[in-house]
Structures are given as C-alpha cells and as structure tokens.
Amino acid sequence: MPTRTADGDRRGPRGGAARPQGPMVAVQGVDVTFRTKSRTVHALSGIDMTIEPGEFLSIAGPSGCGKSTLLRVIAGLTEPSAGQVTLRGTPVVGPRRDVGFVFQRAALLDWRTARSNILFQAEMRGLPKAWARKRADELIEMTGLTGFENAMPFELSGGMQQRVSLCRALLHEPDVLLMDEPFGALDALTRENMNVELRRVWEATGMTVVLVTHSVTEAVYLASRAIVMGPRPGRVIEEFTVDIPGHREYEPTLESPEFQRLSARVRELLGSGAD
Amino acid sequence: MAAVYPATFLALLVVAWFAVTATELVEPYIIPSPGDTWQAFADYPDYLWEHTLVTTGETIAGFAIAGVVGVLFAVLMVYSSTLEKTFYPLILFAQVIPKIAIAPLFVVWLGFGASPKILVAVLMAFFPVVISGISGLRSVDPELLELTSTMGASPVKTFWKVRFPAALPELLSGLKVAATLAVTGAVVGEFVGANSGLGYVILQANGNLDTAMLFAALIIMSILGILLFAVIQVAEMFLIPWHASRRNRR
Ligand SMILES: Nc1ncnc2c1ncn2[C@@H]1O[C@H](COP(=O)(O)OP(=O)(O)O)[C@@H](O)[C@H]1O
Ligand SMILES: [Mg+2]
C-alpha cells in the first residue's frame, strides 16, 4: 500500500549517512484544530520552533495544552491544519520512519519477550537480522536490561517495560527520538533512575531528543533547551537554554543554582498545577 | 487441581442416579438405571460408534467452516465500515432466527445428506466467532498501531504481527463457545430429517421408549462437546501461553 511516508528509503543500518546541514526539525507556523461533532478544539496555535541536531529539547506544559499533538505532528501522525514541519530538510506529510516514538504506556507486544519486542522494530522495517540483533544487544546493555532479555512483558516492572520501549525506539538509529511523557506512569524513584539513564544514553549517543513531560524537574534536568507551553490554544510561552554543562550527576545538578533558578521560573509559568 | 470440584459433583450426581433408580422411585422408562445405560453401550457399540462418527463429522465440518468464514467476516468488518454496516444487521438477523425453525427448509433445499446438518452447525457456530473476532481485532492498543505506522510497515504485516495475535485470546474464547454450539447444530439438523447421526439415534430411541439408549446418546453428545472444547483449550496453551500465564497471575 502506498504510505504517505515522504522520507524515502535511506533508512537502515547507518552507513555513515551525512549529517544534515541546518536544523534537524523545523516547525513553521503550525496550527492544529480538531473538529468533532460536538465541538471544535484549537489545540495548537502558531507554533514555530527549530530543533538542532544533537539537542535535547524538553517541552513542559499543563495537561491539554497540545504537547502530545505537537509531537504527533512532528512524527507525521497528525496533520496540521496550517503550517508545516520539516525533518532533516524534508517536509513531513505522513508517518515518518526516521523517528523513534516512545509513548507514556510502553505499548509492548504481550506475546513477545523483551528482546523480541525490541527486534520488532527491525522486523517491521525489514532491517538486516544480524545487524539488528547486534544492535539490540548493545541497547539492552546500555539500558540495563541485561538478564531480562527473555522475560515476557507481564513479568517486567513498569520501569523495565519502558526501557524495552526505549530500546525499541532506538533500534533503527532514528535521527530524532520523540518521547511523550514516557515516565509519567512510573513511581518517583523509578522515574528518577530512568531520567539518569536517559541522560546517560543521550550523552553517549548525541542523538536529537524531544521530550514531553509535565514534571518540571525532569524537563530541566534532562534538557539542553526547554520550552514551556500555555493552554488554549496551545502555544509556546517561554523558552530557555539549560546551561548546566558537562555530565549531570543527579543530586548535584538538582542542587545547582542554575537548575533551581530555571525550575522556579518554569514552575511560576506553569502555575500551581506543576510538580 | 480445579478438576476435583466438578469430578466430585459428577460423582455425587451418579450416586444420586443410582439411588433414585435402585429404590425404584421412578419408572425405568423415565430414568433408566446407570446399569441399563451401560448395557446400551455394551449391546450396541457398533451402532452407537457409527452414528457418533456421523455427528462428529458434521460437527467438525460445521465448526471449521464457521471458524474460517467467521474470522474472514470479522477481518473484513473491522477493516471496512461499509462492509460492517452491510453485514452486521444481516448477521444479527441470521442469529435471531431460531435455527430449529429454518432447519426443515435446509432439508428441502439440500436433501437428507450431511449438508443441511453442516449448514445448521455453521449457522449456530458462526455468530460467536464473528463477534469475538471483531472485538478481539478491535482490542489492539491504538498506540501500537500508530507505532507500526511510524515503522512504515505494510497493513498486511501489521495485521499478522500485531492485530491477529492480539485478537487471539478473544477469538479462542469465541471458538470454544462455537465448538459446543456446532454439536447442537448438527443434532438439531439431524432431528429434522436424517437416517443417521446421534440426533437420529435419539429420535429412534424416543419412539421405542428406549430411554437407556437415549441416555447413552446424550452422554456421547456431551462428551463430544467437551472434547472439542478441550482441544481448543489445549490449543490455547500453545497459541497464547503469554495470555494464559498472565491470566493465572491475577
Ligand atoms: N484526535 C483528537 N480529536 C479531538 N480533540 C483532540 C484530539 N487530540 C487531542 N485533542 C484535544 O486537543 C487538546 C490538546 O491535546 P493534547 O495534545 O493531548 O494535550 P497534552 O498532551 O498537552 O495533554 C485537548 O483539548 C484534547 O482534548
Ligand atoms: Mg499528552
């Protein structure tokens, strides 16, 4: 079936594909209006942003302000009512294959082991098996899943399931990793651990990440740049560079003046609803 | 072992059966004794076996056709809302018609052979397969479907790797119901016009007031239904071990 995928077929094991010049993602004047029988929701209004290669962008905002919608537009899952998104210079006109997507729920296949769930990405894309297996093993090690490769999803904790989901999203070496409140369903401690892991993975790989969250701590700790969105209709209200250089140890980072200053500001913007 | 409870109950039932018939509380032509019933098996093994095979054949044929056609319809209806709007009311209509009432018509159309019986069995078994198939195919996590679209996977691949396996637990429950209904369907078909099969045996025995033979035929029918059910139960262990183990944890 002809898909609306516009990114061509250069994906696959990365044979040293040239880094694109210019931004990784460019969102230009994006507007999204949902029309249902009973009402019309203006979900996003005039969104402009660029995301540079290797950037870790956090997007924070109250619930219902259109964060998920924005990610879905970037991934080509929702069509904007106006404006456009380009990814690596090509316009997004349908589901993109050069992104990795992590949802709030791990969305694993119940009938497959952890490893097989990770390899699912390769199977669906028809990537070479030997290459995929090797890559899966690397990711399993990197995310601390070693020893759980053959566990079934129901045997895994929420945190472990989300690691599997992350490995699956990274398997095909996507240019951009899109994460929609990936740790929102986890308990506080697991969430902290996952934050540290994700930061480490990002530092190790230098990939481009867009993370949607409504945890202020998560947003600021992880990001190289953070965006705060406001509701009705969803728009960007402020943007910060998170200038905490080097390897970010968890506690020291949270205690650093820069972190505290920024999270206080983000909290202020989000109002009392933020955590 | 969970089987202990029904086995105990069954044993009590047989004891009660013995007691009721031994004390001659009821006439033997109303309830034959377990001994007489056993005698029916012992005296006419070939007769019973022959007719059992006929009913078994009709049941399995009806069940298989209902299974294949039912799944096919479920898939078509899940993927096309036009087909769903077209077929759903018709399927519901076919379901609410009492099968026993249309069975004579099938005999008129198809004669006394196996086909009208198979057709009734198909009609009985079809509905649970379609309904469970549709609900199973719909039960797949929508995020999983979005994920496969970001993977650039073809709909066919998505069907076989995601949708179909996700539908199996519900589909197999539907098939279990369908299996037992297929037995009923075959026997109903035989009641209406047949010269072989367990339904025929029951009518004959009834005519001769041979209640022992009637009981024997009833027992075979239940065993047939239970066996078919058990076959699917075993298939479940192989096809959806992930589901069974998760269910047992709850
Ligand atoms: N498919 C849709 N149809 C109609 N309304 C939608 C749809 N998706 C999202 N919305 C609405 O758009 C707004 C933004 O939703 P969303 O992007 O999910 O917000 P967030 O992720 O920030 O919580 C909400 O008011 C939501 O109800
Ligand atoms: Mg959301």
Side-chain angles (χ1 to χ4, degrees), chain A residues 13 20 54 63 67 71 75 113-114 117 167 184 222 232 268:
Chain A
S63 107
K67 306 180 295 295
L71 272 199
T113 62
N117 260 293
C167 289
L222 284 167
R232 268 171 287 274
E268 197 179 309

Side-chain angles (χ1 to χ4, degrees), chain B:
Chain B
M1 275 291 285
V4 169
Y5 298 97
T8 311
F9 182 69
L10 203 65
L12 286 175
L13 215 61
V14 172
V15 169
W17 184 13
F18 262 113
V20 167
T21 50
T23 55
E24 292 179 8
L25 273 173
V26 290
E27 297 289 334
Y29 73 86
I30 294 180
I31 299 181
S33 73
D36 289 348
T37 307
W38 174 249
Q39 204 58 45
F41 280 106
D43 289 346
Y44 302 100
D46 295 341
Y47 173 77
L48 282 171
W49 180 243
E50 180 195 323
H51 292 292
T52 302
L53 281 186
V54 171
T55 304
T56 308
E58 293 160 358
T59 302
I60 291 178
F63 173 68
I65 295 171
V68 171
V69 179
V71 170
L72 212 69
F73 266 81
V75 171
L76 291 175
M77 285 161 71
V78 164
Y79 278 93
S80 155
S81 66
T82 313
L83 289 182
E84 184 182 7
K85 281 181 210 139
T86 313
F87 288 127
Y88 205 92
L90 295 178
I91 288 173
L92 197 65
F93 182 65
Q95 169 64 10
V96 296
I97 295 180
K99 257 49 94 192
I100 187 109
I102 40 171
L105 195 59
F106 294 162
V107 174
V108 172
W109 290 346
L110 301 169
F112 280 88
S115 32
K117 288 93 184 173
I118 294 175
L119 190 55
V120 179
V122 169
L123 276 189
M124 295 277 280
F126 182 69
F127 196 69
V129 178
V130 181
I131 296 301
S132 65
I134 290 176
S135 116
L137 289 167
R138 293 238 161 94
S139 72
V140 60
D141 186 345
E143 282 184 349
L144 220 41
L145 294 180
E146 294 202 313
L147 194 75
T148 59
S149 73
T150 68
M151 293 174 175
S154 71
V156 174
K157 219 168 180 180
T158 303
F159 176 80
W160 286 115
K161 301 235 171 197
V162 181
R163 261 206 136 120
F164 190 69
L168 274 180
E170 286 203 52
L171 185 60
L172 284 162
S173 316
L175 285 174
K176 281 196 242 178
V177 177
T180 58
L181 288 176
V183 180
T184 313
V187 173
V188 163
E190 289 165 357
F191 275 171
V192 176
N195 42 30
S196 61
L198 292 171
Y200 169 76
V201 170
I202 288 175
L203 285 187
Q204 291 288 306
N206 209 31
N208 303 334
L209 284 187
D210 184 356
T211 349
M213 179 59 80
L214 203 152
F215 263 52
L218 282 178
I219 290 172
I220 297 175
M221 272 172 55
S222 352
I223 292 175
L224 184 56
I226 290 171
L227 277 181
L228 269 178
F229 190 92
V231 166
I232 301 170
Q233 191 98 358
V234 170
E236 276 188 341
M237 288 186 337
F238 289 100
L239 289 172
I240 50 170
W242 50 277
H243 190 257
S245 35
R246 194 176 53 179
R247 194 172 46 198
N248 292 344
R249 278 190 140 208
R250 296 238 163 99

